[in-house]
C-alpha cells in the first residue's frame, strides 16, 4: 500500500469528474436567483430525477446535503442545534442535520446559501421518516408539497394495485404540480429521452458493481460503491453526464481487471484481498475514512452491499423504460431496496454471498434508520443459517458523530475477521 | 353491576398475557380462527364478517419480562416490537391464525417480514393504508387493499365473505363506535366520574373480546358510571397526544390523574374510534369502509397531512371539543412518528396559547415519580397562570 500518500488522497479520473459534476450542481442550485430555475427537494430512494428534469427543474436532495455535512464534520453541531429546538434525540439524524443546516443559513458546500425549494416532492418510498421530514420542511418553508405515496411491498411482490396507485398519483397529482410550479407543460418525449439515458447509465453501473464477482475484486462495493452510486442516485440520473461518467468509470474498472488490481482506496491500491464481505446497511459518514481504513488495513474488501441498492435495485434486472415511462417510474419507486420486505432482503443477501463468493455478512446497523435496522438481527441469523457463512453486527449512525465509537467498531471487526479465519481453517482441516 | 366489578373484569383481561378469553372463544367452536393485529387501525369488520375474532396485540406491557425479544432488536428501537416478539416466542400467540401489521412506522412494517420468517405457517399481512385522500386515487387503492384482505381471510377460512356479512358487521361496529364516542364524551364532560385508567381498561377489553360482548360491557359501564356519585377534584383538564402505538403502563395513566390532571381526551387504542362517524352499512361495504377511512378518520402522526395549515388541527379540535386546558405530549421512546411530529404539534399549540409539556415513556416504565412531578407542576402552572 502507498503509505506515502497520507495527506493527498489518491483519485482516479472518474472521481475527479464526479467531484466536478457535484460542484456544478451545487453552483446551479445556489444561483437560481440569477438563472430563474426552479428547485424541487426530494429524496434519494424514489428519486424522480428524469421527471423533475423534464420540467427544467433542479433536484436538491436533503440526505445528500446531510451526508456532505457529515463528511465535512459539520453535522454534529447541526444535530445538536435541532435538538435544542425541540427535535428528539431519538429520531433520524439526517432530518436533524437538515433542519440544523437551515438554522445556520442553509449554506451549501460551495459556501453559498441554498435557495428555498419551490416544491417539496415527497416520494415516500421505503422510509416512514421521509413523510414527517417533508412535513417538517414544509413547516419551515411553507412551500408547495407533492406527495407520492409508494406502497410497501409487504408480500415481496409489486401488485397491479400498487403500480396503478403510483401511476395515478404521478399522472394526477405529481405531474400537474410540477407543471404548475415550473410553468412548463409536461412533455412525455422529454421524459422518454431522460429515461433512455438513465437505462444506459444503469447498464454500466450494474457492470461496475458486478465486477466485484471477480476474485480479486477490482472495486470495493461499499466504501467505493458510495462514490459509484453518487451520480445515479442523485441529480444526474437521466443525463448525458451520468452516461459519460459511468462509461469512464467502467473503462477504469476494466483497466483494473486487466492489470489485476484490487480496489482503490484513499491511500492507493489495495495490495491484498484477504476477506470478501457483503455489507448490509448504510455507512457512517462522520468517520467515513477512518471506518473504511479499518477494512482496507485488514485486507477486507466489500464485494457487494445493499446500501448501493437504496436508490434503485438495478442488478436484479430493472431498467428505466422509455417505452413505458410512467409505469417504469412507478416500478422503480416500488422496487427500491428498503421498500422490499425482509424475506426478500434476506434472499438478496444470501444470493450476494453466493454469487460474489463472499466470506460472510457484516451488518452496519444505523441508529437513525429503522427502515434498514429494524429486523437486521433476525436477518443476520437467517443469512448465517442459509449460507453457513459467519456474520457480524456493528452499530454506528449516519451523521451523528456521537454514535461512532471507533474502538468498539474496530474491536468487533477484528473479532469478525478472526472468526472468518477460524471458519476457513476449520474448512481446510 | 358497579363500575368496579366491570373494571375488575377488564383488569383481568388486561393482565392476562396468555389471552385466555380469546383462546376460550376459539376453543368454544371447531374451526374458529383468531386474527391478531397491531396498532393503529385495521378494519375489524372484515375479520368479524369472516366469523373470526379480531385480537388487538399492543405489546406486552410492564408485566412481561422480555428475554428473547431483546435478542431481536438493537437498544435504539422501541419496546413494542420486542415484547410482541416475546409474546410470539413464548407461544402466547400460538393460537393466533393470522397477524396484521398496519402501516404506522418502519419498525412495525419490518416486523411483518420478521413474522413471516418466524411463523411461516401463519397468515401474515402488512396492511397498507393510503396517504393520498382522493376517492379515485387513494380510495380506489385502499378499496383494492381491503379486497385483498377480505380474500386472504376468506381463503384462510375456506368461506366466502359476503357483502351482506360485511354490512352486518359494519352495523355492529357502528354500534360500538357510537358507544365509545358516548363514553369519551361522558368522560370529557365529567372526568371525575370516568377516570382515565378505567376508560382505558374498558377500551382495552375491546381488543380481546368479541365486539358483541364489548358493547354490552361498555353499556353496563356507562350506566353504572352515570349512576355512581364520585367526588370531583380540583384538577386541570388535559389531552394526551402521542401514545397511539406502544401503550403506556397503566400506572402512568393513573399517575397523570393523581398529579392533578384529568385526561379528557387521548389517543390510546385508537382502533376503537379511528373512524369518527358511522360507516354507511348499505351498498358496497368495502367502498364504504374506504371512504370512511379517507374522509372520516382520526389523525395521528402515522398519516400524511396534506397541508401545513392542517397539521395539528385534529389535536386542536380535540382540545377545543373537550375544553382542555393543556396538552401532554407523551410518546414512547424511539417512536419515530410521534417524536418527528411533536415539534410541529407543539408549535401549533403554542400559536393558540395552549400550554403543553412532553415526556417519553416505554411500556415497561417503572419510575412514575418524575412523571408525577412533571405533570403536577404542569397542572399547578395551568391553575395559577392560565
Amino acid at each position: 500500500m502507498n503509505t506515502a500518500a497520507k495527506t493527498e488522497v489518491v483519485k482516479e479520473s472518474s472521481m475527479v469528474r464526479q467531484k466536478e459534476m457535484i460542484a456544478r450542481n451545487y453552483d446551479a442550485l445556489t444561483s437560481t436567483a440569477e438563472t430563474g430555475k426552479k428547485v424541487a427537494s426530494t429524496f434519494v430512494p424514489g428519486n424522480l430525477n428524469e421527471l423533475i428534469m423534464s420540467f427544467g427543474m433542479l433536484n436538491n436532495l436533503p440526505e445528500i446535503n446531510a451526508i456532505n455535512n457529515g463528511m465535512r464534520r459539520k453535522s454534529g453541531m447541526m444535530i445538536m442545534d435541532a435538538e435544542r429546538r425541540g427535535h428528539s434525540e431519538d429520531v433520524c439524524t439526517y432530518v436533524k442535520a437538515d433542519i440544523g443546516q437551515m438554522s445556520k443559513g442553509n449554506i451549501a458546500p460551495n459556501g453559498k446559501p441554498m435557495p428555498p425549494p419551490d416544491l417539496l416532492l415527497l416520494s415516500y418510498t421505503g422510509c416512514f421518516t421521509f413523510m414527517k421530514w417533508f412535513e417538517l420542511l414544509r413547516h419551515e418553508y411553507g412551500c408547495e408539497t407533492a406527495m407520492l405515496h409508494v406502497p410497501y411491498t409487504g408480500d415481496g411482490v409489486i401488485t397491479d394495485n400498487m403500480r396503478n396507485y403510483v401511476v395515478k398519483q404521478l399522472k394526477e397529482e405529481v405531474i400537474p404540480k410540477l407543471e404548475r410550479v415550473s410553468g412548463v407543460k409536461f412533455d412525455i418525449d422529454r421524459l422518454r429521452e431522460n429515461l433512455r439515458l438513465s437505462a444506459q447509465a444503469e447498464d454500466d453501473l450494474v457492470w461496475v458493481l458486478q465486477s466485484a464477482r471477480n476474485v480479486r475484486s477490482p472495486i470495493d462495493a461499499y466504501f467505493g460503491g458510495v462514490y459509484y452510486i453518487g451520480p445515479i442516485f442523485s441529480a444526474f440520473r437521466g443525463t448525458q453526464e451520468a452516461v459519460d461518467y459511468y462509461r469512464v468509470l467502467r473503462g477504469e474498472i476494466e483497466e483494473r481487471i486487466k492489470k489485476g488490481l484490487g480496489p482503490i482506496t484513499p491511500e492507493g491500491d489495495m495490495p491484498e484481498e484477504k476477506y470478501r464481505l457483503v455489507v448490509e446497511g448504510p455507512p457512517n459518514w462522520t468517520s467515513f475514512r477512518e471506518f473504511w481504513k479499518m477494512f482496507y488495513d485488514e485486507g477486507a474488501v466489500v464485494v457487494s452491499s445493499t446500501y448501493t441498492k437504496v436508490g434503485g435495485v438495478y442488478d436484479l434486472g430493472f431498467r428505466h423504460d422509455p417505452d413505458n415511462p410512467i409505469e417504469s417510474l412507478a416500478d422503480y419507486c416500488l422496487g427500491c431496496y428498503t421498500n422490499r420486505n425482509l424475506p426478500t432482503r434476506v434472499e438478496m443477501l444470501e444470493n450476494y454471498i453466493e454469487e460474489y463468493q463472499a466470506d460472510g455478512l457484516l451488518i452496519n446497523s444505523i441508529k437513525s434508520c429503522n427502515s434498514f435496522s429494524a429486523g437486521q438481527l433476525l436477518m443476520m441469523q437467517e443469512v448465517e443459517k442459509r449460507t453457513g457463512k459467519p456474520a457480524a453486527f456493528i452499530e454506528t449512525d449516519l451523521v451523528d458523530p456521537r454514535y461512532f465509537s471507533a474502538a468498539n467498531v474496530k474491536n468487533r471487526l477484528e473479532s469478525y475477521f478472526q472468526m472468518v479465519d477460524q471458519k476457513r481453517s476449520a474448512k481446510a482441516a | 353491576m358497579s363500575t368496579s366489578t366491570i373494571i375488575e373484569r377488564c383488569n383481568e383481561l388486561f393482565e392476562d398475557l396468555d389471552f385466555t378469553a380469546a383462546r376460550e372463544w376459539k376453543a368454544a367452536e371447531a374451526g374458529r380462527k383468531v386474527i391478531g393485529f397491531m396498532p393503529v387501525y385495521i378494519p375489524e369488520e372484515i375479520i368479524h364478517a369472516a366469523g373470526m375474532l379480531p385480537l388487538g396485540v399492543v405489546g406486552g406491557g410492564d408485566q412481561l419480562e422480555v428475554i428473547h425479544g431483546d435478542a431481536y432488536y438493537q437498544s435504539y428501537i422501541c419496546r413494542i416490537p420486542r415484547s410482541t416478539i416475546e409474546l410470539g416466542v413464548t407461544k402466547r400467540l400460538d393460537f393466533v391464525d393470522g397477524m396484521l401489521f398496519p402501516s404506522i412506522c418502519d419498525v412495525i412494517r419490518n416486523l411483518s417480514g420478521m413474522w413471516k420468517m418466524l411463523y411461516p405457517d401463519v397468515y401474515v399481512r402488512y396492511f397498507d393504508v393510503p396517504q393520498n385522500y382522493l376517492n379515485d386515487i387513494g380510495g380506489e387503492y385502499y378499496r383494492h387493499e381491503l379486497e385483498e384482505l377480505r380474500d386472504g381471510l376468506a381463503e384462510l377460512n375456506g368461506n366466502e365473505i359476503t357483502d351482506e356479512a360485511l354490512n352486518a358487521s359494519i352495523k355492529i361496529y357502528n354500534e360500538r363506535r357510537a358507544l365509545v364516542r358516548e363514553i369519551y364524551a361522558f368522560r370529557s364532560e365529567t372526568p371525575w366520574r370516568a377516570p382515565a385508567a378505567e376508560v382505558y381498561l374498558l377500551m382495552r377489553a375491546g381488543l380481546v373480546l368479541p365486539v358483541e360482548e364489548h358493547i354490552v360491557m361498555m353499556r353496563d359501564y356507562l350506566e353504572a358510571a352515570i349512576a355512581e356519585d364520585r367526588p370531583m377534584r380540583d384538577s386541570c383538564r388535559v389531552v394526551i397526544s402521542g401514545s397511539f402505538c406502544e401503550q403506556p403502563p397503566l400506572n402512568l395513566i393513573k399517575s397523570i390523574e393523581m398529579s392533578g390532571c384529568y385526561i379528557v381526551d387521548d389517543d390510546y387504542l385508537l382502533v376503537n374510534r379511528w373512524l369518527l362517524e358511522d360507516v354507511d352499512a348499505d351498498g358496497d361495504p368495502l367502498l364504504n369502509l374506504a371512504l370512511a377511512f379517507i374522509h372520516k378518520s382520526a389523525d395521528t402522526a402515522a398519516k400524511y397531512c396534506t397541508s401545513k395549515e392542517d397539521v395539528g388541527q385534529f389535536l386542536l379540535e380535540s382540545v377545543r371539543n373537550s375544553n382542555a386546558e393543556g396538552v401532554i405530549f407523551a410518546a414512547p421512546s424511539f417512536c419515530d412518528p410521534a417524536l418527528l411530529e411533536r415539534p410541529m404539534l407543539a408549535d401549533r399549540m403554542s400559536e393558540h396559547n395552549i400550554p403543553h409539556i412532553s415526556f417519553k415513556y416505554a411500556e415497561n416504565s417503572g419510575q412514575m415519580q418524575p412523571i408525577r412531578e412533571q405533570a403536577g407542576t404542569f397542572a399547578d402552572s395551568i391553575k395559577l397562570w392560565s
Side-chain angles (χ1 to χ4, degrees):
Chain A
M1 177 139 343
N2 177 9
T3 50
K6 273 187 181 164
T7 49
E8 192 70 26
V9 175
V10 175
K11 287 194 166 139
E12 291 194 314
S13 69
S14 64
M15 295 175 188
V16 175
R17 184 183 279 257
Q18 183 176 162
K19 198 175 174 189
E20 288 167 0
M21 287 162 72
I22 290 168
R24 273 202 302 277
N25 189 52
Y26 275 119
D27 286 342
L29 281 169
T30 54
S31 58
T32 52
E34 296 87 63
T35 62
K37 288 244 179 195
K38 304 280 188 190
V39 175
S41 280
T42 192
F43 291 118
V44 170
N47 173 352
L48 301 171
N49 201 42
E50 300 88 347
L51 187 65
I52 293 168
M53 287 192 308
S54 75
F55 290 94
M57 292 177 74
L58 300 171
N59 160 342
N60 185 19
L61 299 152
E63 304 117 296
I64 303 291
N65 298 336
I67 291 170
N68 256 304
N69 286 322
M71 293 182 98
R72 291 181 299 135
R73 302 201 171 216
K74 291 186 170 184
S75 55
M77 290 303 291
M78 291 170 175
I79 290 164
M80 284 193 278
D81 194 58
E83 288 174 358
R84 275 193 293 274
R85 295 172 62 202
H87 294 271
S88 171
E89 62 270 28
D90 291 355
V91 302
C92 173
T93 52
Y94 274 168
V95 178
K96 287 182 288 187
D98 190 27
I99 286 169
Q101 178 181 327
M102 286 168 72
S103 71
K104 292 190 179 306
N106 219 358
I107 304 298
N110 62 3
K112 296 175 187 169
M114 284 279 198
D118 298 287
L119 178 72
L120 294 165
L121 175 49
L122 166 53
S123 179
Y124 172 36
T125 306
C127 167
F128 173 84
T129 294
F130 284 163
M131 193 164 80
K132 293 294 136 181
W133 188 348
F134 265 33
E135 284 187 20
L136 284 162
L137 292 185
R138 186 181 59 193
H139 191 64
E140 302 278 342
Y141 289 119
C143 68
E144 190 155 5
T145 312
M147 161 62 144
L148 177 67
H149 174 209
V150 179
Y152 182 64
T153 56
D155 287 332
V157 289
I158 296 173
T159 65
D160 287 345
N161 188 35
M162 292 174 185
R163 184 181 291 109
N164 293 340
Y165 178 45
V166 179
V167 166
K168 260 193 159 180
Q169 290 177 83
L170 285 167
K171 285 182 176 170
E172 295 176 31
E173 289 275 293
V174 175
I175 290 175
K177 278 197 179 164
L178 282 163
E179 281 184 326
R180 192 161 63 243
V181 170
S182 67
V184 174
K185 199 161 167 34
F186 176 54
D187 178 352
I188 199 161
D189 291 326
R190 201 169 166 192
L191 174 62
R192 285 183 206 278
E193 176 55 20
N194 293 344
L195 293 168
R196 192 183 59 75
L197 294 171
S198 293
Q200 282 180 37
E202 286 155 8
D203 280 343
D204 282 333
L205 170 72
V206 169
W207 186 93
V208 167
L209 294 177
Q210 291 183 338
S211 70
R213 285 177 174 161
N214 287 285
V215 182
R216 120 168 246 201
S217 170
I219 64 162
D220 183 288
Y222 186 52
F223 297 103
V226 300
Y227 292 102
Y228 305 148
I229 59 174
I232 210 159
F233 280 14
S234 60
F236 301 97
R237 204 183 63 222
T239 65
Q240 186 61 45
E241 273 177 301
V243 172
D244 296 343
Y245 167 83
Y246 284 101
R247 193 61 34 87
V248 168
L249 177 66
R250 181 173 174 163
E252 284 172 3
I253 307 295
E254 281 170 345
E255 265 313 290
R256 299 189 78 78
I257 294 171
K258 272 188 213 153
K259 290 178 182 167
L261 294 173
I264 189 162
T265 76
E267 295 180 28
D269 297 326
M270 261 183 87
E272 184 185 21
E273 177 181 284
K274 268 176 78 180
Y275 308 104
R276 294 171 62 84
L277 306 178
V278 170
V279 173
E280 147 80 9
N284 163 270
W285 300 107
T286 51
S287 301
F288 186 79
R289 285 274 301 276
E290 189 180 0
F291 191 27
W292 188 356
K293 189 171 166 57
M294 290 176 195
F295 286 72
Y296 63 71
D297 276 355
E298 296 287 342
V301 178
V302 180
V303 289
S304 186
S305 68
T306 53
Y307 183 68
T308 51
K309 316 294 155 36
V310 79
V313 177
Y314 300 109
D315 58 341
L316 301 186
F318 171 81
R319 294 290 180 276
H320 283 90
D321 178 6
D323 293 331
N324 297 289
I326 307 290
E327 294 74 11
S328 167
L329 288 173
D331 282 351
Y332 157 72
C333 292
L334 285 157
C336 287
Y337 180 69
T338 51
N339 206 50
R340 295 173 180 236
N341 73 356
L342 260 60
T344 307
R345 285 170 58 184
V346 166
E347 204 176 298
M348 283 175 72
L349 288 167
E350 180 191 359
N351 290 339
Y352 286 152
I353 287 175
E354 299 301 336
E355 288 168 18
Y356 289 77
Q357 300 178 63
D359 294 303
L361 170 69
L362 177 76
I363 294 180
N364 182 32
S365 184
I366 293 291
K367 174 190 174 282
S368 274
C369 189
N370 286 338
S371 177
F372 258 105
S373 302
Q376 279 178 328
L377 284 157
L378 179 63
M379 287 171 70
M380 182 176 77
Q381 288 172 27
E382 195 64 26
V383 171
E384 268 189 319
K385 194 169 75 187
R386 292 188 195 180
T387 63
K389 302 277 173 70
F393 204 83
I394 53 174
E395 292 181 37
T396 69
D397 188 50
L398 296 166
V399 289
D400 191 340
R402 295 171 297 186
Y403 292 97
F404 186 82
S405 166
N408 244 328
V409 172
K410 199 165 192 310
N411 271 343
R412 288 209 186 182
L413 285 176
E414 282 170 0
S415 306
Y416 179 55
F417 297 138
Q418 284 170 15
M419 194 158 68
V420 173
D421 287 338
Q422 281 167 7
K423 197 102 183 172
R424 278 184 186 155
S425 310
K427 203 174 172 187
Chain B
M1 201 182 295
S2 68
T3 54
S4 61
T5 312
I6 296 163
I7 297 304
E8 201 178 317
R9 167 72 177 137
C10 293
N11 199 48
E12 281 169 17
L13 293 168
F14 170 70
E15 288 181 350
D16 180 9
L17 293 171
D18 290 312
F19 304 100
T20 308
R23 285 176 186 274
E24 286 173 355
W25 178 89
K26 182 173 175 169
E29 215 172 280
R32 278 184 167 179
K33 290 194 166 54
V34 175
I35 304 296
F37 65 88
M38 294 203 67
V40 177
Y41 166 75
I42 56 107
E44 290 174 272
E45 290 88 341
I46 299 178
I47 302 170
H48 183 267
M52 300 170 172
L53 177 71
L55 174 74
V57 179
V58 289
D62 58 356
Q63 296 303 308
L64 181 72
E65 190 183 0
V66 172
I67 300 165
H68 310 280
D70 278 342
Y72 290 86
Y73 285 104
Q74 303 88 319
S75 57
Y76 49 77
I77 286 177
C78 56
R79 193 171 190 270
I80 185 170
R82 58 188 82 226
S83 63
T84 303
I85 289 270
E86 188 75 24
L87 291 171
V89 172
T90 54
K91 303 199 181 300
R92 288 175 166 99
L93 293 173
D94 60 0
F95 67 105
V96 172
D97 304 281
M99 274 294 280
L100 304 178
F101 297 86
S103 164
I104 172 167
C105 71
D106 295 331
V107 172
I108 300 299
R109 183 197 74 179
N110 286 5
L111 183 57
S112 69
M114 293 172 73
W115 217 265
K116 275 179 190 283
M117 289 194 281
L118 288 166
Y119 307 103
D121 298 331
V122 172
Y123 171 79
V124 174
R125 184 170 177 82
Y126 171 73
F127 181 70
D128 212 347
V129 294
Q131 303 288 358
N132 173 296
Y133 310 121
L134 297 174
N135 289 358
D136 65 335
I137 303 179
E140 195 176 311
Y141 164 71
Y142 186 50
R143 196 195 171 286
H144 281 292
E145 286 297 297
L146 294 176
E147 262 177 28
E148 284 182 25
L149 175 63
R150 179 197 63 191
D151 296 346
L153 293 177
E155 195 183 329
L156 181 68
N157 221 17
N159 292 317
E160 191 193 351
I161 302 171
T162 64
D163 281 0
E164 289 71 28
L166 283 163
N167 278 327
S169 296
I170 288 173
K171 270 184 199 153
I172 293 170
Y173 276 87
N174 278 343
E175 205 179 327
R176 179 165 91 169
R177 280 186 278 269
L179 261 171
V180 170
R181 286 197 297 269
E182 213 177 321
I183 288 167
Y184 264 73
F186 173 72
R187 181 183 69 170
S188 173
E189 192 75 21
T190 52
W192 59 93
R193 299 167 85 185
E198 287 190 6
V199 172
Y200 179 79
L201 287 170
L202 188 64
M203 295 301 138
R204 185 82 184 241
L207 268 56
V208 295
L209 291 177
V211 62
E212 296 82 356
E213 222 176 295
H214 190 222
I215 287 171
V216 172
M217 181 184 256
M218 286 197 292
R219 224 175 251 145
D220 289 347
Y221 176 83
L222 192 57
E223 200 175 296
I226 290 168
E228 279 175 33
D229 194 20
R230 298 192 194 192
M232 186 171 81
R233 295 169 65 188
D234 180 27
S235 293
C236 66
R237 300 166 61 86
V238 299
V239 171
I240 302 289
S241 174
S243 308
F244 47 84
C245 182
E246 180 175 320
Q247 296 296 288
L250 192 60
N251 271 340
L252 191 148
I253 299 172
K254 289 178 181 169
S255 293
I256 290 172
E257 290 218 322
M258 280 164 63
S259 65
C261 297
Y262 278 134
I263 297 173
V264 290
D265 200 3
D266 60 61
D267 56 4
Y268 305 139
L269 309 171
L270 276 179
V271 67
N272 291 334
R273 56 208 167 89
W274 181 259
L275 301 182
L276 301 169
E277 296 172 20
D278 283 357
V279 179
D280 196 346
D282 289 318
D284 179 345
L286 298 186
L287 180 64
N288 290 336
L289 283 168
L291 294 177
F293 180 93
I294 285 187
H295 300 296
K296 296 186 287 190
S297 61
D299 193 16
T300 70
K303 279 170 85 172
Y304 174 63
C305 202
T306 50
S307 76
K308 181 184 176 182
E309 293 68 34
D310 286 343
V311 174
Q313 286 302 328
F314 189 79
L315 179 59
L316 203 55
E317 277 170 37
S318 159
V319 170
R320 285 173 179 157
N321 293 340
S322 58
N323 291 316
E325 296 160 284
V327 172
I328 295 181
F329 292 107
S333 294
F334 305 109
C335 176
D336 278 342
L339 294 171
L340 283 162
E341 189 165 74
R342 193 182 61 191
M344 291 183 281
L345 296 181
D347 282 357
R348 181 69 77 218
M349 295 305 108
S350 298
E351 277 169 25
H352 292 268
N353 298 316
I354 296 164
H356 52 87
I357 55 165
S358 63
F359 56 76
K360 292 187 291 183
Y361 65 84
E363 61 178 11
N364 64 336
S365 292
Q367 288 292 328
M368 291 304 145
Q369 189 58 24
I371 304 283
R372 270 200 292 271
E373 281 170 12
Q374 203 179 344
T377 309
F378 184 55
D380 291 345
S381 72
I382 286 175
K383 277 182 251 168
L384 285 168
W385 309 113
S386 286

